[in-house]
Structures are given as C-alpha cells and as structure tokens.
Amino acid sequence: MKQFFISISLFLTFCLGAFAERPLDFGLDPQIVQRRHCHALQNLYNDILNLQFDQIIFEYTSVGPDMKTPVRLTGVISMNPAVFNKEASPRALVLYNEFTTAKHKERTSQDEIDDVAFYLNKFQNIIAVSADLYGWTLTEDKPQAYCCPEITSVETIDAWDAAKMILQQEGYEYENLPTFNVGYSSGGFSAIAVQKYISEKRPDIFFDLTAAGGSPFDITTVYENYVKTNFTGYKCALPLMMVAYKETYNLPFNYQDVFLPPLGDNIQEWILSKDYNTWEINEKIGLEANVDEILTPAACDYTQGMGRIIYEKFRDNSLCGPWCDWQPDTKTKYFIFHSEGDLYMHYFVGMEMANYLKKKGCDVKTDFGNWGNHVDYSLIVFTLKTLIEIEKVIADSSSNEIVDDINDNMDKVTDISEAMNSNIVNNVKQISDIPNYDATKYYTLDGREIEGNPQKGIYIHQGKKIVIK
C-alpha cells in the first residue's frame, strides 16, 4: 500500500510539475471556440502572397495583471491547410508573439488578419501558437499590459500549454518536434520576456531557438534616447508604454502631468478606447511632433520626480542592461535582428540585448544591417532570416529547398531595400550620448564587437556606418 501511495505521489508530481510555477492553482481548461479558414492581406500587391491558412481559436484560463485574479483569455493556433487537414505532418511548433496592436479586432484571432509574419511559412508545415493577451477579445474593456514582461510571459506560456493540450486532443503529433519562440517589435520584447520567464521558472519548457527583432529590450535606454534626441519616428511608442505601465502597475500620476495637449486630454479616446490603430494615433498626436511636444517637461526629466518614477518602473521591467542579472538558457540558440535604418526603435537596443546574451554565455547570431525602417522591409527580412535559422535547426529533407526559396525572395527584398533606403541611415539622429553606449567601440555590420583597432572594412561606430581604408 505504501508503494502504491508513493507511485501516485510521483505520478501527480510529474503531471503537475509543468504547472508548478503558475501563480494560482487552477486548471487552464482550454476550450475550442471556433475553427476557420483565413485569407489574409488579399489587397496587398494584388494578393501576391496568397496567404491562406486555417485557425483553431481557443479560450483558456490565466491571470490578470495583478498576477492572482483568474481570467479567461483567447489564443489561436494557425497552420496551413495541409497540416490542418492532416494531409501533411507538422515540422515544427512556433510560439509567435504578435507585434504592437492598439485597435479592437487587430489580433490574429479577430477580423483584421494583418499580423501575418509567420504565415509566410505556408509551405513549411509549421504550427504557430499566438496569445491574444489581456486587454483583447474577452477582456477588451481592459487596458492592455503593453511591454509588461511578467504578466505577458505568464499569459503567453499559459496559452502555449493550453494550445498543446488542444493539439493533443485533436490528434496532431507534436511531442518530438523542434520548438521556436519568435517575435518582432513589441513581439520581440515578449519573446525575450518569455525566454526569461521559462529560464527562471519553467525549466520543463525548452525552445531550440528564440528570435527577436526591432524590439525595445531595455526600455530605459529607449526612453533616454527619445528624450535626448527629441525624436522618434513612432509617436505613440512611449505613450503606449506609459499608459500600459500606469494602468498595470497603478503608477501615481495623472495623464495631464505626463502628456501635453492634445494627447494629454485624449488618452481615453485615442488609446484606452482601442478605437484607433497605431498609425491613426500617430496622426492624432502629430506626425512631425518632437518628443518635447508630446511629453511634459516633468516627463522629459527622467532624473527626478514623475519622470524618475516612470524610469525606475521601466528599469525594473527591462530585459537587459546593467540592472539585469537573469541567466538565459544557454542551450537555446538566439537570433537578434535590428535594422540600422530603423527610425522607430534605434538599432543599438538590439546590440544591447545581443551583448547581454553573449556575456551570459549564449550562442547568439545577429543581423544589424540596413534593411530600411521598422516595417518597410525590416519585418519581412526578419521573418525570412528567422525562417532560415529555423530550417537550420529542423534540417530535414525539405530544408535545403526551402532555404533556397527564401534566399531567392531575400535577393528581391535586398534589391528593393537598397534602391529605396540607401540614404535612410543619414536621417537617424545621433546616439553617441546614450547612457551605457560605448562611443569608442566599433562593430561589424552584423553587430559583432571588434577587439582592438579595426582593420580595413565597413563598420558601425557611434551609431553610423563608416569605411576604414
């Protein structure tokens, strides 16, 4: 009898181990709510992409921003029709963290199916899982926890666990497949936040590769850079983060103390209502507005008062920087991408993240070439290059042909990018005065730091591309 109870105890320990780090002891209770066939971006380039795929939309139980209140959230499982109909076997399982959305119905489980970076894998038989997160669909009346790493990670991993339960009950084989954790822009922030969370609290989860691009990994240096250069090409970036942090962490300020008119008088309508997408918010703020025309003097001074309160909360939630000391899983490979010509989020933040991972002993590949502005071509190039890195891990009989096809498309993107963006780096503001940015360092175009004096070649120095002859 004693052996029986010991066996039962061990069995329960094994079964519940995956959920040992959940904030509350409750079941995910995943439920399928819809199955649908999707055709995205039909009006883009005369539907040249022809992005047709199938989705399983599901609900699951997670927690809200207070990390203790149970909430029902939604997520989505996406795959091409052949895999969906079990005519082809899946080759990999991808956690795809969605980039910035600000308007109702913009999540991939909803009507406006435009976050399609990973549906470009339609020929690759990859299953993608995405979490809608708090503030969307079932909780759409709540503020989103934008770039708040802990709650985003918990809700995302809960969606990942719930999706795998659904895949199992639906008869999809995934147990021995390679797994990948991917995101661009705020999705890249979420991808690294997820990696931090599982490295610290969910050792039962492993990703072969975590890929992130164009992301504000250290929010404090993003804040500092915007203020010091008085420039951002993406006017809603800081407002979205500041609003999310006030609402999520109950920061003690009024919006009029932080934002100048007209933004300060319209936070409820422009942001919290979720009636406008990010570009519409940018237009309402003013596409030519400088940072000191968006933020009050108190918010521009992050060394004291209200600005310091915001700065310290950003610091506490940054994913790299001198204040961070989390240890990433060194068995996971990392791909960090950031375009040199990014006017929304300057590329030094990608360097900061890559250098942090390298110092922690991780295998890191980088690409900091000039691929144009944040979404002009950078998102496409990030997606294609990430898919190449994924194929290197999968390395099956289809991989070589897929990589050749991707490289053909990469050549087309490169030709267009070089023709239209050859001078874009000249428009990037100076970044030599950014804290923690070593002005004496030289980097290769893919972000590798040069030891000693550089030889002949092209390098990045003080945020600019230079030629040493």
Side-chain angles (χ1 to χ4, degrees):
M1 181 64 70
K2 182 178 179 180
Q3 289 180 329
F4 172 77
F5 283 114
I6 291 175
S7 298
I8 291 295
S9 177
L10 290 173
F11 175 75
L12 291 174
T13 299
F14 173 79
C15 290
L16 297 176
F19 303 98
E21 295 293 342
R22 287 172 56 75
L24 289 178
D25 185 17
F26 54 78
L28 294 170
D29 188 25
Q31 301 290 330
I32 296 174
V33 295
Q34 186 181 4
R35 305 170 200 262
R36 65 177 185 174
H37 182 75
C38 304
H39 189 175
L41 297 183
Q42 297 180 53
N43 296 322
L44 182 66
Y45 302 125
N46 294 319
D47 195 29
I48 191 171
L49 296 177
N50 191 24
L51 294 175
Q52 300 198 38
F53 53 95
D54 290 276
Q55 288 185 327
I56 298 173
I57 301 171
F58 62 93
E59 293 180 7
Y60 65 101
T61 301
S62 187
V63 291
D66 63 2
M67 298 296 289
K68 61 183 180 181
T69 302
V71 294
R72 290 292 281 180
L73 301 176
T74 52
V76 60
I77 304 169
S78 303
M79 61 192 92
N80 68 36
V83 175
F84 183 81
N85 295 320
K86 299 187 176 69
E87 297 165 356
S89 299
R91 300 170 62 241
L93 197 59
V94 173
L95 177 61
Y96 180 64
N97 300 272
E98 298 182 59
F99 55 64
T100 302
T101 55
K103 183 179 181 180
H104 290 302
K105 305 300 184 183
E106 283 192 298
R107 308 303 281 187
T108 58
S109 67
Q110 299 301 293
D111 297 339
E112 297 181 23
I113 308 165
D114 60 356
D115 187 351
V116 294
F118 251 80
Y119 303 139
L120 293 176
N121 66 23
K122 60 179 180 173
F123 300 117
Q124 294 183 270
N125 297 346
I126 292 174
I127 296 177
V129 176
S130 294
D132 282 332
L133 301 175
Y134 191 82
W136 303 101
T137 64
L138 299 177
T139 56
E140 64 180 11
D141 59 324
K142 309 297 183 184
Q144 63 165 321
Y146 182 70
C147 289
C148 298
E150 185 176 19
I151 182 58
T152 296
S153 301
V154 171
E155 292 176 350
T156 299
I157 288 301
D158 283 350
W160 178 253
D161 288 333
K164 289 194 290 187
M165 292 179 183
I166 289 173
L167 289 171
Q168 184 176 40
Q169 77 182 30
E170 292 292 299
Y172 293 99
E173 297 291 336
Y174 70 87
E175 287 293 344
N176 297 315
L177 296 179
T179 54
F180 304 92
N181 172 32
V182 177
Y184 184 80
S185 195
S186 65
F189 180 92
S190 298
I192 297 295
V194 162
Q195 187 61 52
K196 179 177 184 290
Y197 175 65
I198 65 171
S199 294
E200 293 180 333
K201 298 183 178 181
R202 288 293 302 272
D204 58 299
I205 296 177
F206 172 76
F207 291 110
D208 293 271
L209 171 75
T210 287
S215 309
F217 302 111
D218 184 348
I219 313 174
T220 59
T221 54
V222 173
Y223 187 8
E224 292 172 5
N225 179 44
Y226 283 177
V227 169
K228 287 193 171 185
T229 64
N230 199 26
F231 173 81
T232 168
Y234 198 50
K235 309 306 174 181
C236 67
L238 272 180
L240 284 174
M241 283 190 273
M242 288 178 169
V243 169
Y245 272 60
K246 173 177 169 53
E247 299 293 336
T248 301
Y249 301 113
N250 300 310
L251 296 186
F253 62 77
N254 296 319
Y255 286 123
Q256 289 80 4
D257 297 331
V258 176
F259 302 116
L260 292 169
L263 176 61
D265 300 326
N266 291 282
I267 293 296
Q268 180 62 47
E269 178 189 352
W270 293 0
I271 294 179
L272 290 174
S273 71
K274 303 195 192 82
D275 287 338
Y276 302 100
N277 63 34
T278 58
W279 200 249
E280 290 169 336
I281 297 172
N282 289 340
E283 290 176 334
K284 288 182 175 295
I285 293 172
L287 296 181
E288 302 302 321
N290 292 321
V291 173
D292 63 5
E293 296 172 303
I294 301 172
L295 302 184
T296 63
C300 285
D301 184 1
Y302 50 79
T303 66
Q304 60 183 340
M306 197 57 61
R308 189 65 186 179
I309 291 174
I310 298 170
Y311 179 94
E312 290 179 351
K313 202 63 183 179
F314 283 173
R315 177 198 63 197
D316 295 343
N317 288 276
S318 289
L319 300 174
C320 64
W323 28 76
C324 288
D325 195 34
W326 65 281
Q327 177 57 54
D329 186 343
T330 56
K331 294 181 180 179
T332 295
K333 295 181 182 296
Y334 298 87
F335 176 54
I336 304 297
F337 174 98
H338 210 125
S339 173
E340 178 188 353
D342 192 334
L343 299 176
Y344 292 4
M345 194 66 55
H346 290 167
Y347 72 99
F348 71 88
V349 292
M351 289 184 174
E352 290 177 331
M353 190 72 247
N355 289 337
Y356 181 89
L357 293 169
K358 290 174 183 176
K359 288 178 181 178
K360 294 295 182 178
C362 299
D363 180 354
V364 185
K365 182 172 183 178
T366 60
D367 187 320
F368 300 130
N370 184 10
W371 298 106
N373 201 4
H374 193 75
V375 294
D376 290 348
Y377 295 100
S378 294
L379 174 57
I380 298 174
V381 175
F382 167 75
T383 301
L384 295 176
K385 294 207 168 193
T386 297
L387 290 173
I388 289 175
E389 296 304 311
I390 285 175
E391 287 303 328
K392 290 179 181 178
V393 174
I394 296 175
D396 62 14
S397 58
S398 303
S399 292
N400 288 340
E401 182 178 351
I402 290 172
V403 170
D404 287 343
D405 182 57
I406 292 173
N407 282 326
D408 288 342
N409 283 288
M410 189 77 69
D411 290 339
K412 297 174 185 176
V413 172
T414 302
D415 291 342
I416 298 173
S417 181
E418 288 180 351
M420 297 187 65
N421 298 284
S422 58
N423 296 318
I424 197 166
V425 73
N426 295 327
N427 297 320
V428 179
K429 300 289 184 175
Q430 293 288 336
I431 64 170
S432 58
D433 60 347
I434 295 167
N436 309 315
Y437 185 85
D438 191 338
T440 67
K441 297 293 186 182
Y442 288 80
Y443 299 86
T444 61
L445 292 182
D446 65 356
R448 291 181 291 109
E449 183 180 319
I450 298 296
E451 297 293 339
N453 295 324
Q455 305 299 312
K456 293 181 180 180
I458 302 175
Y459 301 94
I460 295 169
H461 178 60
Q462 295 186 4
K464 293 184 177 180
K465 187 185 295 184
I466 67 168
V467 177
I468 295 180
K469 298 180 179 179

